[in-house]
């Protein structure tokens, strides 16, 4: 079976306008062209699609069923035309963004929402990874943009600095470490579980790095880590933007260390220098960095 768009248009026009002449006029085709398209459609489907017995030609039940599928073909054609028009206007078909989970997702999702509201037909794929896993996913998925907090090893990247992020070493107020006064020593910390996300990376230079070989629990993401800390399972670093409310309420306590209870991350945005960013990618870079790529 080789149903064409011309046949689908002819059946749709006849159903909408009621007569061959009116259908031909709507399609700006000759009367005989519409008759031919419908006759060959019946031959290819091996079905009687039209009831020609009355004053007006009507669709048979089989014709109504075939019409449903013909209209799906026509809808797919319109979607294809729209997608091609969007691509010609500069909107890339897809935009893949991989970011480190310590970076807040809200700014990225806000940009995606704005672009969708402006009519961008780009399909967005936004995923969170952690530490070295960000670069691995960027390479594996051939992503377009990457937000990392450790320097990437891939060559040929253009890099933009993003505003500094902070993490706070915290424990629930009921945790023994939160109840101790004064500066905590490594021996005191080592008595309790240190919670991490997929383990840390020495390039982060965390003040708790030496403790990770002792009592450590690795979790999948910061949401799970926060839940574990709130349950009093252990202590660990959480992004400041995730714990502001709990610190203000006193539900979480910042642990005092000689090296400080906060750690600064320097996130960076990257894209490949050999690939010109599309319209959506340029917008993301511009909003996050204030720089036109």
């Amino acid at each position: 079976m080789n149903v064409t768009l011309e046949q689908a248009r002819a059946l749709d026009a006849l159903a909408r306008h009621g007569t061959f002449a009116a259908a031909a006029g709507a399609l700006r085709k000759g009367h005989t062209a519409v008759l031919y398209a419908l006759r060959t459609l019946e031959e290819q489907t091996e079905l009687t699609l039209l009831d020609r017995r009355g004053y007006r030609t009507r669709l048979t039940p089989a014709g109504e069923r075939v019409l449903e599928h013909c209209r799906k073909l026509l809808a797919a054609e319109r979607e294809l035309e729209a997608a091609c028009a969007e691509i010609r206007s500069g909107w890339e078909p897809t935009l893949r963004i991989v970011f480190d989970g310590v970076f807040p997702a809200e700014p990225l999702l806000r940009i995606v929402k704005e672009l969708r509201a402006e009519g961008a037909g780009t399909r967005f794929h936004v995923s969170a990874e952690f530490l070295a896993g960000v670069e691995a996913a960027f390479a594996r998925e051939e992503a377009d943009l990457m937000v990392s907090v450790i320097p990437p090893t891939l060559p040929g990247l253009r890099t933009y600095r993003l505003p500094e992020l902070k993490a706070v070493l915290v424990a629930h107020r009921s945790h023994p470490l939160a109840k101790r006064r004064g500066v905590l020593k490594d021996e005191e910390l080592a008595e309790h579980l240190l919670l991490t996300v997929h383990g840390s990376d020495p390039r982060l230079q965390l003040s708790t790095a030496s403790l990770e070989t002792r009592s450590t629990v690795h979790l999948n993401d910061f949401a799970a880590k926060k839940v574990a800390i709130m349950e009093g399972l252990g202590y660990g670093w959480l992004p400041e933007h995730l714990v502001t409310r709990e610190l203000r309420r006193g539900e979480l306590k910042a642990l005092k260390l000689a090296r400080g209870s906060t750690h600064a991350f320097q996130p960076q945005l990257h894209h490949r220098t050999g690939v010109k960013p599309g319209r959506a990618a340029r917008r993301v870079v511009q909003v996050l960095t204030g720089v036109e790529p």
Side-chain angles (χ1 to χ4, degrees), residues 122-151:
T122 301
R123 292 183 177 179
F124 296 91
H125 300 267
V126 183
S127 59
E129 296 288 343
F130 301 92
L131 302 174
V134 177
E135 184 177 2
F138 179 74
R140 180 179 65 251
E141 299 174 11
E142 298 183 348
D144 305 284
L145 299 174
M146 170 175 62
V147 178
S148 66
V149 296
I150 57 176

Side-chain angles (χ1 to χ4, degrees), residues 36 70 93-94 131 168 199 259 291:
Y36 177 77
C70 284
T94 60
L131 302 174
V168 186
R259 296 173 295 277
V291 177

Side-chain angles (χ1 to χ4, degrees), residues 57-207:
T57 301
R58 298 181 181 277
L59 271 62
T60 63
E64 294 286 354
R65 184 69 177 274
V66 171
L67 175 63
E68 293 178 13
H69 292 279
C70 284
R71 284 177 171 166
K72 290 179 182 179
L73 287 176
L74 298 176
E77 179 194 28
R78 291 191 295 271
E79 291 176 3
L80 177 59
E81 289 176 346
C84 291
E86 289 164 355
I87 294 170
R88 287 194 299 270
S89 69
W91 294 117
E92 52 269 64
T94 60
L95 178 62
R96 296 184 181 275
I97 305 172
V98 182
F99 69 100
D100 194 294
V102 75
F103 187 83
E106 288 79 3
L108 291 170
L109 299 179
R110 193 179 306 118
I111 299 169
V112 171
K113 180 181 178 181
E114 291 173 358
L115 290 171
R116 295 294 297 174
E118 293 173 16
T122 301
R123 292 183 177 179
F124 296 91
H125 300 267
V126 183
S127 59
E129 296 288 343
F130 301 92
L131 302 174
V134 177
E135 184 177 2
F138 179 74
R140 180 179 65 251
E141 299 174 11
E142 298 183 348
D144 305 284
L145 299 174
M146 170 175 62
V147 178
S148 66
V149 296
I150 57 176
T153 60
L154 286 172
L157 296 178
R158 182 174 178 185
T159 299
Y160 309 81
R161 287 172 64 92
L162 296 173
E164 186 178 84
L165 293 174
K166 288 185 178 180
V168 186
L169 188 64
V170 297
H172 189 261
R173 62 188 174 193
S174 64
H175 192 277
L177 289 175
K179 297 179 179 180
R180 295 189 182 179
R181 295 180 178 274
V183 176
L184 295 168
K185 299 178 181 179
D186 285 353
E187 305 86 74
E188 296 175 289
L189 295 174
E191 296 174 4
H192 303 276
L193 287 176
L194 171 63
L195 307 178
T196 70
V197 174
H198 293 284
S200 69
D201 188 292
R203 287 172 286 180
L204 291 177
Q205 298 181 339
L206 291 172
S207 57

Side-chain angles (χ1 to χ4, degrees), residues 14 17 40 52 90 116 118 140 154 212 216 234 243 246:
L14 180 63
H17 300 283
T40 55
R52 300 171 173 85
R116 295 294 297 174
E118 293 173 16
R140 180 179 65 251
L154 286 172
E212 289 203 29
T216 305
V243 297
E246 288 78 8

Side-chain angles (χ1 to χ4, degrees), residues 16-33:
R16 291 180 185 277
H17 300 283
T19 67
F20 292 109
L27 295 173
R28 298 182 180 178
K29 298 281 186 180
H31 184 269
T32 55

